[in-house]
Amino acid sequence: DGNPNGRNAYIGLTGDWGTFLYGRHDSPYKMAWYSTGIDMMGDTIMDAVGLSSAEANRFSNAIAYVSPNINGLTFAGAIVPSEGTNNATGLADGYAVGVMYSNNDLKLAAAYEDEGALGSNNNLGSNNDNDRFMVGAGYTMNAFAIAANYVMEDNEDLEKNINVIGSYSFGNNKLIVAYGLDDNDSGSDQGSWGIGLSHALSKRTTAYAAYADSNDYNQINTEMDATSGFSVGLIHNF
């Protein structure tokens, strides 16, 4: 049950047959969602999850399997016991599966996740019963890269999330443009976009500047709330 800083913390076995693991780990759904290259400016004001209000869970007590790469194809699956939360005591109170394909410049992904009876033990709220399905693709051609993900989520409202992002590299620089949409049946929709520039100072250090804007709309598409922001930062990989 260890949860250092909320990051992945697990034990496992790896061989030619793949990887089995137990502990706190990214959901196979989350693995598939990111595998398309959708998050070109992660952990910044242009983070893809924030732009579309998409879900990207990391489960505690996950029992998971990740297959080896077979001609570009990888499969991942996980079951998650709730350990008594919401009176659920099964071995698979929540589960997720994901399929990822990568071959040269093309990336494809599909995934399904059902939170079932999982709740506070996984930081998902007290009474979660959400499920979601996603498909996504990414493609790189010379200096250009593009990725798009589409999500359908069934919670209290039927919700759809769309992310589209593209980049152009020149020298040590990369120009990135992103768009995210959160469309739900309650009538309170959110459209967001961002533009950013990163510059590689070295193999391990990158500087960036980014601007993002978000608007919430009601059913007649009148602006309810608007927020925008500008950020600069430095990323160093140790």
Side-chain angles (χ1 to χ4, degrees):
D1 291 336
N3 183 14
N5 301 319
R7 298 296 182 178
N8 290 342
Y10 59 91
I11 58 174
L13 292 172
T14 298
D16 294 339
W17 33 265
T19 298
F20 279 100
L21 63 90
Y22 169 76
R24 182 167 177 82
H25 196 274
D26 292 341
S27 159
Y29 175 95
K30 179 181 179 180
M31 294 167 63
W33 197 85
Y34 280 104
S35 72
T36 61
I38 197 68
D39 207 20
M40 297 182 186
M41 292 196 76
D43 297 325
T44 73
I45 198 171
M46 283 178 59
D47 188 283
V49 170
L51 285 180
S52 68
S53 298
E55 293 283 345
N57 289 320
R58 180 179 286 119
F59 291 140
S60 296
N61 307 314
I63 304 168
Y65 170 74
V66 182
S67 77
N69 186 314
I70 305 172
N71 296 322
L73 190 68
T74 303
F75 166 82
I79 57 175
V80 188
S82 187
E83 295 190 332
T85 302
N86 300 327
N87 297 317
T89 58
L91 186 64
D93 295 317
Y95 66 91
V97 292
V99 178
M100 297 148 278
Y101 177 78
S102 179
N103 189 358
N104 295 324
D105 298 323
L106 177 65
K107 297 177 180 179
L108 302 172
Y112 177 78
E113 179 174 270
D114 189 340
E115 293 175 1
L118 301 178
S120 57
N121 282 356
N122 274 280
N123 301 314
L124 301 176
S126 59
N127 288 290
N128 264 59
D129 192 16
N130 301 341
D131 62 277
R132 58 191 62 89
F133 171 77
M134 67 80 61
V135 291
Y139 187 72
T140 301
M141 182 175 61
N142 298 322
F144 293 93
I146 188 170
N149 286 357
Y150 175 77
V151 175
M152 287 190 65
E153 180 170 357
D154 185 9
N155 46 39
E156 293 180 357
D157 303 305
L158 182 61
E159 188 174 350
K160 307 177 195 68
N161 302 117
I162 298 172
N163 282 89
V164 181
I165 192 165
S167 70
Y168 173 70
S169 300
F170 54 102
N172 292 335
N173 309 296
K174 181 180 290 186
L175 178 66
I176 301 166
V177 179
Y179 173 76
L181 175 66
D182 178 20
D183 181 9
N184 63 71
D185 286 352
S186 69
S188 179
D189 303 334
Q190 174 182 302
S192 305
W193 64 272
I195 183 169
L197 180 69
S198 65
H199 175 75
L201 300 172
S202 68
K203 291 183 178 180
R204 297 193 299 170
T205 306
T206 301
Y208 72 86
Y211 174 84
D213 182 89
S214 176
N215 296 289
D216 292 335
Y217 297 93
N218 61 16
Q219 289 176 331
I220 58 174
N221 207 36
T222 57
E223 188 172 310
M224 297 170 58
D225 185 31
T227 58
S228 61
F230 176 79
S231 70
V232 295
L234 191 69
I235 300 172
H236 181 76
N237 296 315
F238 293 94

